Amino acid sequence: MKFPLKSAPHIQGKTKNSNILATVLKAALFVAVWSIFNRFFVFGIETALHIVFMIIAACAAGTAAHVIFYYLGTLKNNDFNFSKFTQKFTTGETVVTGLILALAMQSTSHLYAVVIVTLFAEIMGKLIFGGYGQNIFNPIAVGLVFNALAFGGTTLTVGALPDIVSAATPLAWLNSQNWIINPYTANNFILSSGGVLSMFLGTIPAFVGAGAIGETSRLALVLALCYMCYKKAADWTTPVIYVGVVFIIAAVYGFFIGAGFWYPVIHILTGGVIFGAVFLASDSVTIPFNRQGKAIFAILLAMFTMLIRFNTSHVEGVAFSIILMNMMVPFIDSKTLNITSKKIGAKVASVAITFAVALIFVVGFTILFS
């Protein structure tokens, strides 16, 4: 196989790594502030403060991981350069992973769990490979998978929040129904949630309390993605195609089980699909190089997400799918890098075939074994 010679991140133009990180950090801070204020108005100061402490703990743990790793790595030569490390901090490299990880965790997470998960994500997902731009796995996805396996059942009592999150989250409820509901149930679910607009804005207490901190408002996430794309810190191809294919797969499966129109809407507006699309699938380091590869990556990512949702006990398949697809990036690059702009037919055909196979595989496999 031929591998790309250009080092990550694979962003076209003259955008520097420091600018990319600073832009992603600003976008994540925007979502964080939105989520904190949302929970403050719904649940009060105690819950909002706990989220602030979670973010501080995650950012501190990320910085500590960089200090320890770089210091130990240069201990023999005694050439630890504090000024260079300060530059890493000011550009956001030491804190951006921790911030997004905190946003991807529940409001009731223990602070010690936040610290451990962030340390694991920074070291095992990024630093052990050589730092930002050298990692083959998305460190946030690594941290989320570790959190699900190690701390999935641990929560902390915070204000009025546990009365809401102790009940089944929307995806957990769907999973308990084997993902099979009728149009009447789906419509009532949307209405009881305040309607599609309220679900998109994140203004209903049940949706503010359930799920991850950063999943409060899909509008905030969309605005964050638009900002990152405008600043050339992300490419729209993977996030948009990923969400679109998830919607299509859910719609086709919903058609076969008679769930109605609202079924794919529920899949998109609950859980971490949009959050994962914005902050994980847009990562310029761990996704394919060119647009065709990104499209194929997004389609297969949606396929694995829905396979995990439909056929396992894990109601969220986003982080697991990201790691699985990170393994396939070199192969995807090797098959798409040499296709020139003149070979439009080959590009369209490869993406279309990938989409068709993914759609048939997920829907067929789920219906056959359900």
Side-chain angles (χ1 to χ4, degrees), residues 168-180:
T169 61
L171 289 186
W173 175 78
L174 277 172
N175 186 265
S176 67
Q177 305 298 313
N178 292 322
W179 301 94
I180 299 176

Side-chain angles (χ1 to χ4, degrees), residues 67-127:
V67 171
I68 295 171
F69 194 89
Y70 283 114
Y71 181 71
L72 291 178
T74 58
L75 189 60
K76 293 181 180 180
N77 300 324
N78 195 26
D79 58 351
F80 180 79
N81 192 316
F82 185 78
S83 62
K84 289 184 178 180
F85 180 81
T86 303
Q87 185 179 9
K88 290 180 179 293
F89 180 81
T90 56
T91 58
E93 183 175 344
T94 65
V95 298
V96 67
T97 299
L99 173 59
I100 298 176
L101 261 177
L103 293 177
M105 297 176 70
Q106 288 191 350
S107 306
T108 51
S109 299
H110 286 275
L111 293 182
Y112 74 84
V114 175
V115 171
I116 294 173
V117 168
T118 304
L119 288 173
F120 186 89
E122 287 282 9
I123 296 174
M124 302 305 295
K126 182 169 63 178
L127 295 176

Side-chain angles (χ1 to χ4, degrees), residues 27-259:
L29 282 172
F30 169 73
V31 174
V33 171
W34 187 309
S35 302
I36 291 169
F37 274 100
N38 204 346
R39 279 169 169 77
F40 168 74
F41 287 118
V42 175
F43 299 112
I45 188 64
E46 185 179 354
T47 300
L49 282 177
H50 182 69
I51 295 174
V52 172
F53 291 145
M54 286 177 60
I55 293 173
I56 293 174
C59 292
T63 303
H66 280 77
V67 171
I68 295 171
F69 194 89
Y70 283 114
Y71 181 71
L72 291 178
T74 58
L75 189 60
K76 293 181 180 180
N77 300 324
N78 195 26
D79 58 351
F80 180 79
N81 192 316
F82 185 78
S83 62
K84 289 184 178 180
F85 180 81
T86 303
Q87 185 179 9
K88 290 180 179 293
F89 180 81
T90 56
T91 58
E93 183 175 344
T94 65
V95 298
V96 67
T97 299
L99 173 59
I100 298 176
L101 261 177
L103 293 177
M105 297 176 70
Q106 288 191 350
S107 306
T108 51
S109 299
H110 286 275
L111 293 182
Y112 74 84
V114 175
V115 171
I116 294 173
V117 168
T118 304
L119 288 173
F120 186 89
E122 287 282 9
I123 296 174
M124 302 305 295
K126 182 169 63 178
L127 295 176
I128 200 171
F129 294 101
Y132 177 73
Q134 306 299 318
N135 50 295
I136 60 174
F137 296 107
N138 186 296
I140 300 165
V142 172
L144 290 177
V145 170
F146 177 72
N147 178 57
L149 298 176
F151 303 105
T154 61
T155 55
L156 179 68
T157 301
V158 182
L161 197 55
D163 293 334
I164 292 176
V165 298
S166 60
T169 61
L171 289 186
W173 175 78
L174 277 172
N175 186 265
S176 67
Q177 305 298 313
N178 292 322
W179 301 94
I180 299 176
I181 57 176
N182 55 48
Y184 177 79
T185 303
N187 185 58
N188 282 347
F189 181 87
I190 297 289
L191 293 176
S192 65
S193 304
V196 173
L197 182 60
S198 294
M199 293 173 67
F200 183 70
L201 297 176
T203 56
I204 300 300
F207 274 83
V208 176
I213 296 168
E215 296 171 7
T216 299
S217 172
R218 274 72 190 176
L219 174 60
L221 293 169
V222 171
L223 292 176
L225 178 62
C226 290
Y227 173 74
M228 290 191 293
C229 291
Y230 173 73
K231 290 291 187 177
K232 300 184 185 296
D235 189 291
W236 63 267
T237 306
T238 306
V240 172
I241 294 178
Y242 170 59
V243 174
V245 174
V246 167
F247 185 92
I248 293 172
I249 292 175
V252 173
Y253 181 69
F255 171 79
F256 279 102
I257 65 174

